[in-house]
C-alpha cells in the first residue's frame, strides 16, 4: 500500500528542488526563460497537488474520531441491550421472559405446541412481506449504480475527446504563426548566407544556407493543399467526436436523473407499504394460523 506521508515528503523534496531550478534558470537570463517558465509551472502544479493531497489526508484522518465515536455508541447500545437481558426481576429480553411470553401467545392463538411459534411457518409469513417491501428499491438501486458507472465512463470519454479537439484546433491556430516564422527565417538566413559568403566566412555561410533551405522546404510543404485539408479534416473529426461524446455524456446524465427519480418513487412506494406492513403481515400470519379449507370433492 502506498504511504501518503512518504509521497507527500517526496513531493515536498521535489518542490524544493524545482524551486531552486526555476530560480537558477530565471537568473540565467533570456536563454533560460523557457526552462524557467516550465520549472515555475511545475512548482505551481506540485504545490497545488500537494495541498490537495494534504487536504484529503486531513479529511481521511479526521474520520478516526468518527469511527471512535461510532464504536463508543455501539458499546453503549450493547450495554443497553445487556441490561434488557439481565437487569431487574423480570428482564424483558431474558430467556425466561421470552419463554413465558411464547407460552402466553401460543395459548391465546391456539398454537400447540408453543415451540411452533419459533418454527419457520410464522417467520416465513412475516419475512415474505418484509422481503417484498425491501426488494422494491433493489432493482432501482442497481440500475442507478450502473447509470452512475456509465456516467463516469462517459465523462472521461468526453474529457478525452475535448482534449483531442483542443489539440486539433491549436494546430490550426498556430499554423499561420509557424508559416510567418519560417518566412522570416528564410529571408533572414538568405541575407545572412549572402553576407557571410561575401565575407569569406565559409562555415557560417553554409550553416545559414542550410537553415535557409530548411525554412524554404517547410514553406513549400505548407503550400500543399493536403496540409490545409488535413488541418480541416483533423478538426472535423475531433469536433464530431467531441459532439458525439457530449451527446453520450448528456444521455448518461439523463439516465442517472431517471434512475434517481425511479429510486425516489420506489422508496415512496416502500414508505406507503411500510405504513400498512403490520396489517399485511398480520394477514399473512392469520393465513398460517387459519389456513383455508381444502376444496371440496
Amino acid at each position: 500500500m502506498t504511504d501518503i506521508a512518504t509521497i507527500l515528503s517526496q513531493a515536498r523534496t521535489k518542490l524544493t528542488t524545482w524551486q531552486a531550478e526555476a530560480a537558477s534558470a530565471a537568473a540565467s537570463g533570456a536563454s533560460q526563460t523557457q526552462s524557467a517558465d516550465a520549472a515555475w509551472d511545475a512548482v505551481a502544479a506540485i504545490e497545488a497537488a500537494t495541498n490537495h493531497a494534504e487536504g484529503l489526508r486531513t479529511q481521511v484522518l479526521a474520520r478516526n474520531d468518527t469511527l471512535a465515536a461510532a464504536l463508543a455508541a455501539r458499546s453503549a447500545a450493547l450495554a443497553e441491550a445487556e441490561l434488557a437481558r439481565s437487569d431487574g426481576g423480570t428482564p424483558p429480553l431474558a430467556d425466561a421472559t421470552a419463554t413465558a411470553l411464547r407460552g402466553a401467545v401460543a395459548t391465546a392463538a391456539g398454537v400447540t405446541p408453543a415451540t411452533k411459534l419459533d418454527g419457520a411457518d410464522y417467520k416465513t409469513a412475516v419475512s415474505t412481506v418484509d422481503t417484498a417491501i425491501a426488494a422494491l428499491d433493489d432493482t432501482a438501486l442497481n440500475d442507478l449504480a450502473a447509470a452512475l458507472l456509465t456516467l463516469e465512463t462517459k465523462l472521461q470519454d468526453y474529457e478525452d475527446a475535448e482534449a483531442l479537439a483542443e489539440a486539433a484546433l491549436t494546430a490550426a491556430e498556430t499554423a499561420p504563426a509557424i508559416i510567418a516564422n519560417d518566412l522570416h527565417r528564410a529571408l533572414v538566413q538568405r541575407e545572412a548566407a549572402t553576407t557571410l559568403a561575401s565575407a569569406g566566412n565559409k562555415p557560417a555561410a553554409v550553416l545559414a544556407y542550410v537553415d535557409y533551405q530548411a525554412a524554404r522546404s517547410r514553406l513549400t510543404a505548407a503550400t500543399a493543399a493536403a496540409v490545409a485539408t488535413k488541418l480541416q479534416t483533423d478538426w472535423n473529426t475531433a469536433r464530431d467526436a467531441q459532439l458525439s461524446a457530449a451527446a453520450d455524456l448528456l444521455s448518461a446524465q439523463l439516465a442517472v436523473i431517471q434512475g434517481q427519480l425511479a429510486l425516489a418513487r420506489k422508496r415512496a412506494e416502500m414508505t406507503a407499504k411500510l405504513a400498512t406492513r403490520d396489517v399485511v403481515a398480520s394477514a399473512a400470519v392469520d393465513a398460517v394460523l387459519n389456513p383455508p379449507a381444502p376444496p371440496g370433492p
Side-chain angles (χ1 to χ4, degrees):
M1 185 177 73
T2 304
D3 178 51
I4 190 169
T6 299
I7 299 302
L8 283 170
S9 177
Q10 292 172 354
R12 293 190 190 98
T13 299
K14 287 182 182 294
L15 175 59
T16 301
T17 300
W18 290 349
Q19 283 174 328
E21 290 177 357
S24 175
S28 297
S31 64
Q32 291 295 312
T33 297
Q34 186 174 358
S35 178
D37 289 343
W40 284 124
D41 287 344
V43 167
I46 199 170
E47 282 181 328
T50 302
N51 290 336
H52 184 242
E54 282 280 15
L56 292 178
R57 179 172 178 258
T58 299
Q59 290 176 12
V60 172
L61 292 179
R63 292 184 172 181
N64 285 336
D65 294 336
T66 302
L67 178 63
L71 292 177
R74 179 179 182 277
S75 295
L78 286 175
E80 288 291 328
E82 186 57 34
L83 284 176
R85 280 195 295 267
S86 59
D87 190 43
T90 56
L93 296 187
D95 289 346
T97 302
T99 299
L101 178 62
R102 182 180 63 189
V105 171
T107 298
V111 176
T112 304
T115 53
K116 189 175 181 180
L117 287 178
D118 291 331
D121 291 346
Y122 300 104
K123 292 178 181 178
T124 299
V126 175
S127 67
T128 298
V129 174
D130 289 338
T131 298
I133 294 174
L136 281 173
D137 70 343
D138 284 352
T139 299
L141 277 171
N142 290 336
D143 289 346
L144 179 57
L148 287 170
L149 184 61
T150 299
L151 176 60
E152 183 178 353
T153 300
K154 295 305 179 184
L155 179 59
Q156 183 60 59
D157 290 346
Y158 176 79
E159 290 174 351
D160 292 343
E162 183 181 35
L164 290 175
E166 186 68 25
L169 185 58
T170 298
E173 288 178 329
T174 57
I178 293 173
I179 292 172
N181 182 68
D182 283 338
L183 175 59
H184 173 73
R185 186 167 180 78
L187 294 175
V188 169
Q189 294 304 321
R190 173 183 174 278
E191 292 301 321
T194 300
T195 301
L196 292 167
S198 298
N201 191 339
K202 299 176 183 178
V206 171
L207 173 59
Y209 175 78
V210 169
D211 289 342
Y212 163 72
Q213 286 288 35
R216 284 185 70 247
S217 295
R218 290 193 296 271
L219 287 170
T220 300
T223 62
V227 177
T229 299
K230 184 176 187 306
L231 289 171
Q232 181 69 63
T233 301
D234 288 350
W235 162 246
N236 290 347
T237 301
R239 175 203 62 204
D240 292 346
Q242 185 178 5
L243 290 173
S244 177
D248 289 342
L249 178 59
L250 177 58
S251 178
Q253 290 169 328
L254 291 174
V256 168
I257 295 170
Q258 182 176 333
Q260 290 170 332
L261 178 60
L263 179 60
R265 287 173 173 168
K266 286 298 182 182
R267 285 182 169 169
E269 186 180 351
M270 286 176 64
T271 299
K273 288 187 176 297
L274 285 171
T276 59
R277 179 262 184 189
D278 288 355
V279 174
V280 176
S282 293
V285 170
D286 183 62
V288 177
L289 286 170
N290 303 292

